[in-house]
Amino acid sequence: MQITVTVNGTEYTRDVEPRLLLIHFLRDELGLTGSHWGCDTSNCGACVVWLDRTPVKSCTALAAMASGREVATVEGLEKDGQLDPVQQGFVACHGLQCGFCTPGMMMTARWLLDHNPDPSEQEVREAISGQICRCTGYENIVRAVRWASEHGAAEHREPAQHVEAEVTA
Amino acid sequence: MTATEEHAAPIGFGRMERKEDVRFIRGHGTYVDDVRLPGMLYGAVLRSPYAHARIASIDTGAAEAHPKVRAVITGATLDTLNLAWMPTLSYDTQAVLATDKVRFQGQEVAFVVAEDRYSARDALELIDVTYEPLPAVIDARHALDPGAPVIRDDKEGKTDNHIFDWESGDAAKTDEIFANAEVTVAEDVLYPRVHPAPLETCGAVADFDKITGKLTVWETTQAPHAHRTLIAMVAGLPEQKIRVISPDIGGGFGGKVGIYPGYVCAIVGSIVTGKPVKWVEDRSENLMSTAFARDYHMRGEVAATRDGKILAIRVNVLADHGAFNATAQPTNYPAGFFSVFTGSYDLTAAHCKVTGVYTNKAPGGVAYACSFRITEAAYLVERMVDVLAHELRADPAELRMRNLLRPEQFPYASKTGWEYDSGDYPRTLRLAMDIAGYEELRKEQEAERARGHLMGIGVSFFTEAVGAGPRKHMDILGLGMADGAELRIHPTGKGVLRISVQSQGQGHETTFAQIVAEELGIPPADIEVVHGDTDQTPFGLGTYGSRSTPVSGAATAVVARKVRERARIVAAAMLEVDAADLDWEKGRWFVRGDPDQGKTMTEIALAAHSTVELPDGVEGQLDATCVYNPPNLTYPYGAYICVVDVDPGTGKVSVRRFVAVDDCGVRINPMIVDGQIHGGLADGVGMALMEVISFDPDGNCLGGSFMDYLLPTALECPSWELGATVTPSPHHPIGAKGVGESATVGSPAAVVNAVIDALAPYGVRHADMPLTPAQVWRAIQGRPFRTDLAIS
């Protein structure tokens, strides 16, 4: 089937199998390998991307479900050579080690800060509680999100060039 | 303000942001599944649904007829290449693809190569295997029963499931102390089967070039050089034609040390099809077939005086190694370094006996940051000290303080043959108690108990032995455990360091550059660290057992010092003085007594490549190489205190606080050290409270997905409270000891001790991990269950 998906502001049209998972569409069809696959069961969150501005686990969404919609991935976080404060926070606070969970964590963190610019530690923990990190014990991820909150989350612009559109899936 | 501006990078040791983060935060890491080659095909493994069954037939016809399938490989195919079986890291054999029987659920049976991922999976469904199920050995405690099914009947003359017996210490002296002791305690302690479960599963991309005969394999491996040698031995390919590339690795924790059948199948698939073949396992395959950890059934005994002086420890272990003995540890240590079970205490005698057995479960045993089984040892001794405290009605922290080795006893010869290098244990425990406010916590606990609340305080103190190891004693499959380093200093004074170890997130590109910076005064940003490619780096055994800093870090310091000495000769020629008259300050040689007369490393580097006349016999340039053979292991240690609250109505445990004071010697980058500890503490909470791979009586794996194999999230982890003491290793060039596994080793006991302490009002003395709500509830009822088997 033919689908058209906007990813990080760029429109892609591809012929895909109806069963193709969104994560494999992004990684194998578009070569956007920043989002990772980790578990198949929606537990780990290494595959978190935004679908119409909402974090989803792309291992449990079909590429077809994204047709006509907007996807934002880690590759879209940096704008005009300027790192997102979340990306800066992860570096400043050592919020990553192996880096495998990092893209998904950052996408959730960006979403959290867009909706709650000054989250408490507990609110950060709840926001990332659907995702697993095996390296950091979460401590520095929480600090990284707090760092981003304190360093300009307010000036942040949307990762995807957002077009107002209701979900039509 | 950018992140970088906030923290200036030190020229040497100190907090510094990681160099590798630049790519990871942009999604530009390159993990194995990110590798994409022209014409690449995809492989998938068909696995056994049975724990033990004879294979009557395999029909691959329908799979081969699938329009997108390029090859179907079975054990019979591999048999013609003499590849159906491969050697394990413990001198056993393991089936690559089963020929005669399947021996655990999830074992590899066939391999399909197809044009895309999904078609490869589709074709697995078309393979028709006829199995004849056999009775399975699931409970290790019955593996040696007379009449138990013989799992390894592939081994000629094998009539039972026994693998090895191994012992350490002085049995006679230990028995004598026990016979005369005022107090003895004993407890059966299970360290259940768990799994390292790195977020990235295992995988490989194999690319065999038929014309040049060159095989390039991208692999999720912590030990690329060892893999290259093993591939050469297994596949019979010339080693100079094999290039193993370990790109970015999404966590390893010991699960990516061994060679898995999938890697071999990808290589064979590429040779057969003439195309690159990618194989990446899914999460269930990862949890059900790759290296598990622990599965030690231990009986611990402690002999002591009535006033709390520990005299001797005696341990018997039944070790469940699964269907193939594939543990990854030094050859002479079939139970790894378990004999460090004497812990941090001054004993009169100690003895342990370990018996390894086969069962119908996945192979493995040494993984998950276990420091070659010190995790099991540390958990046992720290659990047993609490059992003794329970018996003596003593405070567990005071009991430990009473028995800890004293600083003046170092270097300390342990009763099982280890030489602890350095330590000030009481200082570290005291610091942990101060940070926790230990005495106040005990008062609070008393008040909570009076209100009927279950609050628990758990203490653990651990000593590790890491940095394997002296090649005289330690090898893996005959390969001595030394590591190489090469340092090139370019004419402009920038450098490239090539190392044999392989980061899985530990930040080697940063810390190893910092070691060079410390030794040569060249900023870390100017040192590129190359690793993970056997064509570009010197030989060495890789990263596991917390060995990177103790071994490869030492190699890096030594090679940098060689460069420094070469620079001294060049500087002397530039300054027209005798090299012996020069002194060093970071980054510069200068004339003794005339500090203004000197040359910086940048000036020296250019001169070393220039026309400056050098003394006879001096080659010019500054490059150097080194192979570091550690004289001893290093012995990091730490004191941990955990505070928990238990809901008596549900058995649910909440970790309220966790204090960790680690002494890993000199800290190269304290930020990274703290990060390593944070991760290990989360492991400890996971293992203590939720992680287990258990089985039903038929051998069905009950931990085969993240729905069943539970890992701690941010909500189960508290905000870790860290402290540090620094006692340098006297024999390591920079005094560092290694830290990667410390917290995983030390933390489970603190959590479990805290939960058992919380349950003291119910008279509970022990319950096995994981302390799930169900297990805690049963312990409260006085009936804790075995966590390794399904509840019947």
Side-chain angles (χ1 to χ4, degrees), chain A residues 16-95:
Chain A
V16 301
E17 287 190 62
R19 63 176 172 171
L20 182 69
L21 297 174
L22 179 56
I23 182 68
H24 289 141
F25 175 73
L26 294 170
R27 291 178 51 81
D28 294 347
E29 294 290 329
L30 304 187
L32 294 170
T33 55
S35 307
H36 299 132
W37 168 92
C39 76
D40 278 332
T41 49
S42 289
N43 293 96
C44 83
C47 62
V48 166
V49 300
W50 289 11
L51 188 57
D52 284 348
R53 304 178 73 196
T54 302
V56 298
K57 286 167 174 167
S58 61
C59 79
T60 335
L62 296 170
M65 292 161 70
S67 193
R69 299 167 73 177
E70 303 217 343
V71 174
T73 71
V74 63
E75 286 91 345
L77 276 179
E78 186 178 5
K79 290 287 179 215
D80 305 325
Q82 180 66 36
L83 290 174
D84 187 280
V86 167
Q87 292 171 300
Q88 293 180 43
F90 271 70
V91 176
C93 300
H94 189 30

Side-chain angles (χ1 to χ4, degrees), chain A residues 94 97, chain B residues 16 18 20 506-508 510-511 514 669-677 739:
Chain A
H94 189 30
Q97 291 180 29
Chain B
M16 175 184 155
R18 299 198 323 166
E20 39 275 89
Q506 293 92 335
H508 292 168
T510 305
T511 47
Q514 288 185 268
N669 185 330
M671 176 192 83
I672 288 179
V673 169
D674 285 353
Q676 295 287 297
I677 294 166
V739 73

